[in-house]
Amino acid sequence: MGKLKKFFQYENVGILFVLPAFLYMLIFVGYPIIQNVILSFQDVTAGNLVRGTKNFIALENYLVLFKDDVFMTSLKNTLSYTILCLVFQFVIGFALALFFSKRFTLSKPIRGILLVPWMIPVTVTALMFKLLFATDIGVINYILRSLHIIEENIEWLTTPGTAMFALVFANVWIGIPFNMILISTGLTTIPKELYESASIDGANKVQSFINITLPLLKPTIESVLILGFIYTFKVYDLVYVMTSGGPVNSTHMLSTYSYKLSFEMFQYSKGSAVANVLLVILMIVGSFYIKVTTEGEDD
């Protein structure tokens, strides 16, 4: 007992504060992940689940998945969707952050209003954009017809190409405030004296941006892109509400296909295998994020 008291007396006392959160994560996050990994190596469906038989089939679920056209489409969709969203979110968010870094009337209220899309629940946003992109009653088709850009309504959510565009558009609208606020925070850490010195030396705004802003914002940019990748790659609710993976599986992501296999087709093991593929990719990206942030702290 005395040794235990001595252990927690000085620098190790922080363990006591971390312990409740650690136990919570272990029970409600760690245990389900471990069970999901075990499930992916078994053959569990609605039929044999009732009988209580869980045959071990090793990597068969994964081998079957990588021959599954819908899975490969879901993987490609998730990657392309993530990259497209990241590009537009980052570019627009960066531009807005630079714009609002200037002091002008109503800059703070307008910046606050632009944060609203990020604060609204994703399911609410998805329902809103589902109505906006609706074929007959959608506002977007109405505006395009009023401007005489189109003559007939576009079936945004029932055509493969336009359905993916609608999803990207909705997610970009959600993600722009996230990028803007983080980059704005990074901009506030850059000393104004550097720009003043560069101006005295004859540097224009473009040269100052390239030689001062971008290098000093590198840690912030890395964090924004990696976090944005993680948040976007695991998308589920936005896609499920707007398209449910359709039309003809053309907008399925790894998350929605895992849900479909598990809770619509009742192929629980295959669904868990898809979820584990998603988990592995996010763990790799997360490890890279930890490496980048720790290197930034060391610097």
Side-chain angles (χ1 to χ4, degrees):
M1 187 69 180
K3 291 182 178 179
L4 184 64
K5 184 178 179 181
K6 187 177 180 180
F7 179 79
F8 288 114
Q9 191 170 5
Y10 299 106
E11 66 273 6
N12 297 317
V13 71
I15 297 175
L16 292 174
F17 296 97
V18 176
L19 189 60
F22 174 76
L23 292 175
Y24 176 86
M25 294 293 292
L26 188 66
I27 296 171
F28 294 101
V29 178
Y31 176 75
I33 289 176
I34 294 171
Q35 286 297 316
N36 195 67
V37 172
I38 295 172
L39 184 62
S40 68
F41 295 121
Q42 299 173 335
D43 179 23
V44 180
T45 62
N48 57 24
L49 183 65
V50 175
R51 295 193 297 270
T53 57
K54 298 180 180 180
N55 298 323
F56 180 77
I57 57 174
L59 296 174
E60 185 175 336
N61 285 320
Y62 295 94
L63 296 175
V64 170
L65 274 182
F66 282 97
K67 295 178 182 178
D68 183 358
D69 292 336
V70 180
F71 171 77
M72 296 307 297
T73 299
S74 301
L75 182 59
K76 292 176 184 177
N77 285 343
T78 308
L79 289 171
S80 59
Y81 170 84
T82 302
I83 292 171
L84 286 171
C85 289
L86 279 182
V87 169
F88 288 106
Q89 287 175 1
F90 179 76
V91 171
I92 300 173
F94 203 131
L96 289 174
L98 290 173
F99 178 74
F100 285 109
S101 65
K102 310 297 181 182
R103 293 184 179 180
F104 60 92
T105 307
L106 299 179
S107 62
K108 292 182 179 180
I110 295 173
R111 185 169 56 181
I113 292 172
L114 289 177
L115 290 176
V116 172
W118 188 49
M119 300 169 63
I120 298 174
V122 178
T123 50
V124 175
T125 301
L127 288 170
M128 181 177 69
F129 275 96
K130 188 174 183 178
L131 291 173
L132 288 174
F133 283 104
T135 303
D136 296 323
I137 62 172
V139 175
I140 293 177
N141 276 336
Y142 174 78
I143 293 173
L144 293 176
R145 285 199 318 271
S146 300
L147 297 174
H148 303 289
I149 296 175
I150 61 172
E151 295 182 358
E152 296 182 358
N153 289 331
I154 299 175
E155 298 181 355
W156 293 101
L157 300 178
T158 55
T159 305
T162 55
M164 182 59 73
F165 168 80
L167 291 174
V168 171
F169 189 92
N171 194 71
V172 167
W173 189 79
I174 296 171
I176 287 173
F178 173 78
N179 285 259
M180 182 188 71
I181 196 66
L182 289 185
I183 295 171
S184 296
T185 304
L187 288 172
T188 59
T189 63
I190 301 176
K192 301 297 182 183
E193 293 80 6
L194 294 177
Y195 294 104
E196 294 173 359
S197 299
S199 178
I200 294 171
D201 291 337
N204 56 35
K205 291 185 178 180
V206 175
Q207 291 172 330
S208 297
F209 177 76
I210 295 173
N211 296 301
I212 297 175
T213 306
L214 286 181
L216 294 179
L217 273 182
K218 183 182 176 183
T220 302
I221 292 172
E222 290 173 344
S223 299
V224 168
L225 291 177
I226 296 172
L227 288 174
F229 183 94
I230 294 171
Y231 293 152
T232 308
F233 198 83
K234 64 182 182 65
V235 64
Y236 168 75
D237 36 14
L238 182 73
V239 178
Y240 186 78
V241 172
M242 288 185 67
T243 64
S244 298
V248 199
N249 299 319
S250 62
T251 60
H252 260 310
M253 307 295 169
L254 289 176
S255 56
T256 56
Y257 189 49
S258 175
Y259 178 88
K260 179 179 180 180
L261 286 171
S262 298
F263 301 107
E264 293 181 11
M265 301 175 67
F266 304 109
Q267 298 179 13
Y268 303 112
S269 293
K270 288 183 181 178
S272 64
V274 176
N276 288 331
V277 172
L278 177 62
L279 175 66
V280 169
I281 295 173
L282 291 179
M283 285 182 65
I284 293 171
V285 177
S287 300
F288 180 71
Y289 172 69
I290 293 172
K291 181 181 178 181
V292 168
T293 52
T294 52
E295 285 180 352
E297 290 176 358
D298 293 339
D299 294 340

